[in-house]
Amino acid sequence: MTKYAPHALSRTSCIALACALFGAATAPAAAQTGTDNAAEESDDNVIIVTAQKFEQKSTDVPITISAISNQQMERLGVSDLDELSNYVPGLNIQEQSANNPGIVIRGITSDSGSSQQAARVTLYYNGIDISRSRGSYQAIYDVDRIEVVKGPQATLFGTASAVGAISIISAKPEPGFSGKLTAGIGNYDSRIVGGHINVGNDVIAARVAGEWKKRDGYIENLSDRQGDLYAQDQLGLRGSLRFTPSDALTIDLIGTYDQQRNSGTPFISGNFPTSAGPANRFGPANLSGAPAGISAAVLGSDELGLRREVYDGNLTASYDFADGWNFTTVNGYRKFDSQEVFDADGSAAWYLEFTEDSQGWQVSHESRFAYQDDNVRASFGWNYFHEDNFQRVPFSSEEGTFLACSSAALRAQLGIPCIAADGTVTAAQATGLLTGGLATVLPYSSEFTNLGVNDSYSVFGDVRWTVTPRLELTVGVRGLIEKRKSGYNSIAPGSVLTGGSLIPGQRTTNGTLWSEDSFSAVLPRFNALYRLSDEVNVYATVSKGRRSPTVNQTATSTSLIPEEIVWNYEGGIKGSAGIFSGSLGVYYQKYNDFQVSRVISDPNDPSGLPVGSTLTESAGSASNLGVEAELQMRPTDWLTLFGNVGWIDGGIDDKPENGVFAGNRFRLQPEWQAAAGFTIDAPLGNGMRLFLTPSVTYRSRIFFETTNRPNIAQGPVTLVNAKGGVSFAEDQFELAVFARNLTNKDYLLDAGNTGGGFGYPTFIPAEPRFYGIQASAKF
């Protein structure tokens, strides 16, 4: 009987090097059956995929997709999505925090935490859209594969995939008893324990998996408020149940719980000195902030850091109800609750202390019918998505300190700096000087909240027609209607010293202000594939993507940011010849009303938002031209060499009507990105095997803001990583060592941030050299 993919995002092309290199790193693994197990290989070593929800050779997929299995990630030492992105051209993931991941596909990102703004890059978990920024981070333990889809794919993958999508698909239960346990230690007192247990038969099977990761922070905090910054403590648990009463019907029930208890983000000031010396973006921090008690009362905690919990449930059923026909339904619920306390000024001053309290829940339902015969392959269905979430931001400061640090004129009048050269907070004297000694400390607090309640209804269809044995044409379309409702609430009491709000531009709303609107769109795609031979194909794609309009509600106004439209034109070749395999693709994307986010720095900004908050607005037209090439060479069964490269020339079009952003590159977009390395996977005899994968990754300069300020940027970065070891007893036991950033390269993960809106940009150092040892046992 024909096999169908039971999930919204399904098996994808490993011929792209991100798969080719990984597949070779672990291959030749035995082929597994079923559309949700590891990618199958045919007799000629071409990967069998289900990217378009039907099984087909990877070379027959006329879109750019990469798929990476769990085993492949283990060979590279990849344990998180941001590490994985170094090996997939056109993909970058900036993980400032588990509460704030920035996912970049082909230089385009969407990482706003605002509840009013839609995503641009879709993140899927077991077929369900989880793209809401604060709820999207997902640990990648015991996954079957991760798929990266590039280019707009709204027809197949939902309305948020304006530039692409990432899908995380967990390992499913299977018949029999099996399990795996992994434990490891490393520098910064890192510890990891993870694994799974699988039990079942052909009718019903269950799987329980989990992972606990903990390590110390790598940035010293000179304050006694908290220990080292960027410490990690996270736990993930997942239970899966598979019911297969017949060959025609499969039902999957999955429940997931994820938790983070990570220490504070190291927002290091680029202006303020510490007791360790002048401002140093790679030096120690002194994030003292509000006094204990006051911090807990206003910000929710005396300690910096993230407390986050995510609950996720998924029910999927796939039924082959007639010859050539299948019905699949995918249903999900997700709830997140996160609270992150951060010191936005990056100094010891009680100046810019914030919390971000984000909560939300969502439900999703999709059903589709699929049909296939020798000449036609088609699918059609419907989708409903609802989300309800808010982002509440409490603020705390000391009035005199805030005024002195914010005003050069006031500092000159009082004769004090904000922070002295020895790191002393001299601005703390300001309240006493301004009140003539009547008061020495004047605590101040305010907060603002944005809310979003959004509904989306869509229908979709996709048809492939085999015109000749060599030529296939595909056309698809999704029609959608959405309702977006935005709310805003602000509490801004008057300052004792000034009478007005301490944060410039913040106003009290006396309740929540709401606005709403409805929208519709039609999003098509067109694909053509031509077989030059059994091993090599060329393809062309035209597709339309869309980012939803933003209903912008503030304390003083309601505005509508128009929908962002992109047309994607793409062509390429992929296949294999002898010991070589790979792909080459060229794409061009044209945007209208490209949406950008900027931090408000002017108290008289026409948006009506307070200083330090983030505004979404249209920057006008934009374009993206790029090339991606991937190559693998496998001269022997035990040696694989790989390399890939991506080049992008993109940004806001250099036209006067595009205003201050005209001619600027997209934020987080490198011009060049590359990776190379080799894998040794050699038998040693007596059931032993040696494996080793050293690799080098490169990324050219990126800007952290669309303003393209040279000081808010990171220059070229080259990283060296490696993992190797020995397995015993026919892979039953394994001992491995790993190192990431082997040369201990200093580079920035992010810059600017909230402090930049107040004139004091902060800088976040990226990971230093991490190394360790891990042992695994299978049973």
Side-chain angles (χ1 to χ4, degrees), residues 69 149 155 178 230 237 296 566 578 597 735:
S69 72
V149 184
T155 301
S178 63
Y230 255 0
L237 297 171
V566 56
S597 298
L735 186 65

Side-chain angles (χ1 to χ4, degrees), residues 92 104 106-108 587 623-624 648-651 665-672 700-703:
N92 281 287
V104 188
R106 290 178 170 172
I108 310 296
Y587 60 89
S623 56
N624 225 13
I648 307 176
D649 180 18
R665 288 188 71 86
F666 299 125
R667 82 178 209 93
L668 301 179
Q669 181 187 66
E671 182 180 9
W672 291 95
S700 62
R701 181 182 65 169
I702 60 172
F703 294 103

Side-chain angles (χ1 to χ4, degrees), residues 538-617:
V538 294
Y539 67 94
T541 298
V542 178
S543 57
K544 181 183 180 182
R546 169 187 180 270
R547 190 184 199 186
S548 298
T550 297
V551 180
N552 237 0
Q553 178 64 59
T554 72
T556 60
S557 65
T558 301
S559 62
L560 178 65
I561 309 303
E563 64 181 1
E564 173 186 294
I565 296 296
V566 56
W567 279 97
N568 180 72
Y569 308 90
E570 186 168 346
I573 181 171
K574 52 185 175 179
S576 60
I579 64 173
F580 296 95
S581 63
S583 64
L584 174 66
V586 180
Y587 60 89
Y588 177 71
Q589 297 169 331
K590 187 62 181 178
Y591 289 85
N592 290 323
D593 289 313
F594 186 83
Q595 296 179 11
V596 297
S597 298
R598 64 179 175 88
V599 178
I600 301 297
S601 58
D602 182 356
N604 298 312
D605 192 278
S607 68
L609 289 172
V611 169
S613 55
T614 301
L615 170 70
T616 300
E617 59 188 359

